[in-house]
Amino acid sequence: MTKKKLLLNIFGPILSVVVLLGLWQAIVVWGNVAPYIAPKPWDAIRAVTSNWSTLAPLTWWTIKETIYGYLVGAFLGAFLGVVLNKIPLMQRVLYPLLILTQAIPIIALAPPLVMILGFGVMPKVVIVAWIVFFPVTVSVLDGLNHVDKDLMTLAKVFGANSMRRFVVLEMPAAITQLFSGLKIGATYAVTGAIIGELAASSGSSLALYQRSASGSLDAAGVYGTTLLMTAIGIIWFLLVVGAEYLATPWQRRSTARQWRRGAKPVLTNN
Amino acid sequence: MSSSSILELRGISKTFASTTALSPLDLDIERGSFVSIVGPSGCGKSTLFNILSGLIQPDNGSISLEDQNVIGATGHVGYMLQKDLLVPWRTVLGNITLGARLKGKVGPEDKEQAMGFAQKYGLGEFLHHYPSALSGGMRQRVALMRTLATNHQLLLLDEPFGALDAQTRFEMQQWLLQVWRDTQRTVLFITHDVDEAVFLSDRVLVMSPRPGRVVDDLRVDLPRPRTLDTLVSPAFTDLKSRVLHQLHRERGA
Amino acid sequence: MKRNFLSISVAGAVMALSSITVLSASTLASASTLTAVKFVYDFPGPDMEIIPVVVAEKEGFFKANGLNVSVEFPPSTSSTTQLLTTGSGDIGFITTSDMAVAVEAKAPVISVANYSMTNNWGLFAKPGSTLTLAGLKGKKIFSWGDTWTNAMIPFVLKKAHLKASDITIVTGSNDTPLLMKGTIDFTTSTTNYAIPGITEATKSAPVGIVGAAAGVPNVPVWVYAVTHNYANQHGKNVRGFLKAIKAATIWASQHKAKAVADFMAAYPKSGYSKFYSTKGWALTVPLLTNAAGKYFVQTNKQWTTLATALKSVNLIKSVPAPSTYYTNKFLP
Ligand SMILES: Nc1ncnc2c1ncn2[C@@H]1O[C@H](COP(=O)(O)OP(=O)(O)OP(=O)(O)O)[C@@H](O)[C@H]1O
Ligand SMILES: [Mg+2]
């Protein structure tokens, strides 16, 4: 990556966030919006920082719910994608069922989950996993369905069994698609955790904190927690993007990284 | 035929539903020879390769490769298509050793062999490049290296240079001859390009339209190594016109 | 204290749409001569406490006072005052704690009439179980997570001599099934919601500790509120609205069955059974008048008591003059 590109990659997003905050500030100030309706951005941020000792443990809970649910959803999703691809019958039987799971409004799913799983971290994990697995399944299935048929034929001619064909060719071939599903899932994961928290919480949670802020007409608190939830979502998304970056070097590099010590650097001509 | 045959086909035929792709076909291929197959589109050339590689079963006949019956079995020939089918996530080295990986682990000797091939045939600098960084000609070279690295005596090349521009194609042809001479493999080579067939081969087989059978079997005795001069020699032109006439007659018939 | 908005927010949204058509259809003919008023409920979906408004519409009390009232439901609890200040609603139905919080946040709203007169909030448990303040320690208590409940729980703890960490507060979307299953020990609610709900599920009345027994201040729970602007510019509408509501409330107290039928007809998909609404309305009626049998009348004392109480549990920072909260000048 050139230096210019790097700067653009870093400052581009920062600039857009600054512009957004500026716009927000402008609307609140010029529109004469009352502080109990919408706060100025800085007040929203301060509502988080000045209550950080209360918010930190709640944020940590939400992060845990998000990550656990996400991991469960991602593995389940990838597994289902493979099953659907490998067992054509399953595609007939299971696929409509999977679509059905996504047609159920999550908000309606939450109360029965609480009945079954209680007030702890479990129902949130299930909701997040429920949201995350689907795009992952669809993308993995798509990826596997679009592996070059001729390549698979060639592998057969080379005498590879189906297990090797899967591990060596199909799995890596689907990885680009897999990450597009993982990224979609990453953006939704926090939403799932928050819906779960709204549906049921023991003690406190970010969602409940926000609800009582809303009840107290503390708009700064409401917007502040929203910013906090958004930040969790964005950071998680960026981590997934980072994982993609490391896992698919061929998408943006012309040569492989040389990890071995003493390996000669390889000259590129482009 | 002779004891130097590596491959013997007897009475091989194949019918798909209502289309007869191959009518009974007999063929002997000499060890270490370079044999081209030309014929109109759809006459069953690729079908023949698919039968040889074990991807599909013939309806009748027998195949003996190095005195082994290989009908319906895979993993005994090198195979290469017009599409290079390089995997984008493996480097040049990784692609050359793909055959080894597909049969198990890539051992140090596989790597050494691959690096040897790459070094020798102009890919040394690109060992750790991903295919996306390579030109079309280089990609075909890697694909051929991969085919060679499977260490099978018989190589089936199905229009490998069909997608290359004329300039690159000529370079690739000369390069292929060099590789063939060095490695002493037996090559069966499908092409639509009569110049290419005559330029490369010891023998050119001309096939009839569907159902395919061999209607002419030409010996090409042009001296090797073949160069640009070969292409303009009268002997080359004679052979070429014979193949073309044969093809044309068959097509017109 | 009502059913959580999550469980019925979807239904509520549908309701909000359908209700507008239901209510305005009957008044379409004379709509042009009537003054339009937007009433905003305290909750995302309708329940029997809205009966005075429904009856005022169905039985023609609004029309008689020159009003064409449409009903809106807020997207979440405790957002009604915000809807008033942004002009999305004219007259709102809110809890007194919402009112106190709004004044604290300098939202220009004012309460124009009490809905109920006493605090009927408390703790409830399954029929046959023991529920005492002394036995609260270590128990799981359900909360709706709304401002009113947040305000009341500290008083219960104070009376029981417990710390916040002595009990577990859990929030959810519906308390009754959790109570039945034993997932929670007690729930928090008001008599007119808790008793019908638990009775419906168990066929017998719940046990409860309510009002003074639970240590909570005896103040009205719900009021009607408007913005200062609306009070200044449309006092006539406020007066007319309260007049119609008073007449409707009296009518609905005398014709309980018919009133519930009006409610069920206006909101056939409210999610509440006829049993629930009938019982709920019967329990609501006695709450609506003070000791002297008067409707609506607010007092300095009620607001001072509420503000002092809320300050003592840190929900507000200062206790303003009671007149900041209310006016009785629009009472019929
Ligand atoms: N799997 C199959 N099922 C049915 N028909 C097939 C199948 N494979 C090939 N054919 C038919 O068999 C005939 C021969 O096909 P083949 O691919 O061998 O031709 P080809 O000589 O390689 O042609 P080209 O020069 O265009 O590549 C064609 O008519 C083709 O449609
Ligand atoms: Mg072909």
Side-chain angles (χ1 to χ4, degrees), chain A residues 35-37 105 107 110-111 114-119 195 197-205 208 211-212 214-219, chain C residues 4-6 9-10 78 81-82 85-86 101-102 105-108 144-145 147 150 168-173 177-178 181 183-184:
Chain A
Y36 51 83
I37 299 292
I107 221 160
V114 174
M115 292 295 297
I116 300 163
L117 300 171
F119 296 93
I195 289 176
E197 289 182 354
L198 272 181
S201 293
S202 179
S204 195
S205 65
L208 272 192
R211 198 201 285 180
S212 21
S214 159
S216 316
L217 297 195
D218 170 17
Chain C
N4 187 285
F5 73 91
L6 256 181
S9 63
V10 180
S78 309
T81 47
Q82 282 164 305
T85 58
T86 56
V101 159
K106 303 208 164 38
W144 302 102
T147 311
N150 291 349
T168 309
I169 299 287
V170 297
T171 38
S173 35
L178 295 170
K181 204 175 157 234
T183 315
I184 54 171

Side-chain angles (χ1 to χ4, degrees), chain B residues 16 19 21 40-47 159 192 210:
Chain B
F16 296 108
T19 10
S41 188
C43 72
K45 303 182 294 291
S46 297
T47 303
E159 301 184 51
H192 278 115
R210 205 175 52 228

